[in-house]
Structures are given as C-alpha cells and as structure tokens.
Amino acid sequence: MNGASATGPEAASADRARSALMRAGTPRTYEAGEIMLLAGGTDTFVLVLLNGFAKVTTTDSRHAAVLVDIRAGGDVMGETAAFDSEPRSATATAVERMSVRRISQDEWLAWMNRHQAANLAISRSLAHRSRTAVRRRIQFTRGPVIARLSSAVLDLTEQYGARTPEGLSVRPGLTHAEWGELIGAGERRVQHALQELRTAKVVSYGRCRLTVHSLPALRRIAADP
C-alpha cells in the first residue's frame, strides 16, 4: 500500500487501517518462480506483499510472455479483481522467496468499508500506477534503444536500487530479454545498448545483474531524444 505519506489524524487513521490489514487474511509464502496470480484466473483474493519482488507479465499478439511491471514489498496485488470480480489481467510470478498476506475478496471489501483512509490510500495507489504506466509507455517505447533502456534502468534504480561498494545495484535482476520486453526492443539491441553504457562507464552488468555507476550520466542518456 505504498503511497504519499500522511500526517496528524490522517496518519493515525492510516496506521490503524494498515494494522488491521496486517491481521487480515492468512500468511502465505511463495518460492522463487512460483506463480502468485495467473492471467485469466477467476479467483478474487488480494495479496499484500511483505518483502521481495514479483514480476508482472502479460502476453503479446504471438502469445509470448512480456514483462510489464515489477512489484515489491509494501505493494498490493490483485485488488482490481477483488473490486470487479473480472478475470485476472496479468500473471505475477515471485522473483525470490516472498512472504505475503493472502486476503479473501469479502475480507478485503470489508476492510475497505471499515477504513476511510484505506479507500484514499488504495485510490492514490491505483492513480499512481495508472500514471506510471502512461509515463513508461512514452519513455520506454520511443526514441533510441539506448535512451529507452536508460530510462527503464533509471526507473528501477530510483525505486529499488541498493547501495553497494561498486554503485547502485538494480533490483530485481532482469535478463536481457526482460529488459527488451520492458522497452519493446529485441534482445540483441539491448545487449548492444548495454555494451555502450558499459564502455561509457555508466553501468556494469553480468547474468541477471546490473550496477549503475553514474546516475547523472544515465539521466542525460535517458533524456537524449
């Protein structure tokens, strides 16, 4: 339930809502590679992610999986189906071992009805997600591949980057193919762009590992038309 911070009575109300949510449902653990939500599924439970990362994928016109988003600890997944009872629109897969709270549709809706602050937080979260999707569609799919890749790397680094002695480690680790799915580019073009960034000493990379050495340089490249 990530979102803008509240203060005063609003913060206290949000804390009560969050505490109630953490008591709702049942604890569940997903192992790396395990499907958490399946596109087309008719289940309506909600998942509150307590830690780790999940990859969200859909299918393209050739029925191939395409990475469209990353979710992390503190996020909520599956709430749309809980609201409208329609089939799941995407598949979510655990990147690593994850702990969650699995909450039934009835319990989720009851929680929403009991806590006004929850309605506001979820509405803000959905609005932020929608705005982010539009922004990414523009930044990740237009312009030179190296600029689009830099935008995607910058986006994940600013959200989930972990400080290391070498720089900022981008989390979660993505394959070259998955970076390509995010920006609408072929794997070979992603490899070429990564080589350019490495030659410029902006990043270093290995198998499912990417470290950013210069955020200012990455921002300049991302902004290059």
Side-chain angles (χ1 to χ4, degrees):
M1 202 166 62
N2 292 326
S5 298
T7 58
E10 184 182 351
S13 180
D15 286 342
R16 287 193 296 272
R18 189 176 295 106
S19 295
L21 186 62
M22 290 301 101
R23 295 191 300 269
T26 56
R28 172 76 155 84
T29 299
Y30 290 92
E31 300 298 333
E34 188 174 356
I35 291 177
M36 307 167 73
L37 302 173
L38 182 64
T42 56
D43 45 58
T44 55
F45 61 82
V46 174
L47 296 178
V48 179
L49 310 186
L50 304 181
N51 54 33
F53 292 94
K55 295 178 183 179
V56 180
T57 58
T58 59
T59 54
D60 60 17
S61 58
R62 296 169 297 178
H63 303 290
V66 177
L67 179 67
V68 294
D69 203 1
I70 299 293
R71 299 291 173 80
D75 287 337
V76 173
M77 295 197 307
E79 72 274 28
T80 302
F83 286 136
D84 62 17
S85 297
E86 294 294 319
R88 304 284 189 192
S89 59
T91 294
T93 306
V95 175
E96 55 197 17
R97 198 170 196 263
M98 300 184 69
S99 297
V100 308
R101 298 293 299 189
R102 177 168 164 160
I103 303 170
S104 70
Q105 181 183 41
D106 288 345
E107 196 168 3
W108 170 260
L109 294 177
W111 174 77
M112 292 285 294
N113 288 332
R114 284 196 305 269
H115 300 280
Q116 184 177 359
N119 282 280
L120 180 59
I122 296 301
S123 296
R124 285 174 173 171
S125 177
L126 290 172
H128 174 71
R129 194 179 304 168
S130 177
R131 289 178 184 274
T132 298
V134 172
R135 175 180 58 78
R136 285 175 172 173
R137 191 175 303 120
I138 295 171
Q139 293 181 341
F140 292 5
T141 60
R142 297 181 183 177
V145 170
I146 191 170
R148 286 149 50 190
L149 178 62
S150 296
S151 291
V153 171
L154 185 63
D155 190 79
L156 288 188
T157 303
E158 290 179 336
Q159 288 190 79
Y160 310 125
R163 179 71 62 182
T164 70
E166 294 76 28
L168 285 166
S169 176
V170 182
R171 299 182 302 165
L174 302 180
T175 66
H176 293 173
E178 287 171 334
W179 283 114
E181 291 166 10
L182 271 180
I183 67 173
E187 186 173 354
R188 291 185 64 184
R189 297 185 71 187
V190 168
Q191 290 174 341
H192 181 71
L194 282 172
Q195 288 170 1
E196 288 189 58
L197 291 173
R198 181 168 62 182
T199 299
K201 302 187 185 304
V202 177
V203 306
S204 59
Y205 63 90
R207 186 175 183 273
C208 290
R209 178 185 58 79
L210 183 63
T211 300
V212 176
H213 301 297
S214 174
L215 279 176
L218 196 64
R219 290 192 182 100
R220 286 195 298 272
I221 297 169
D224 192 23

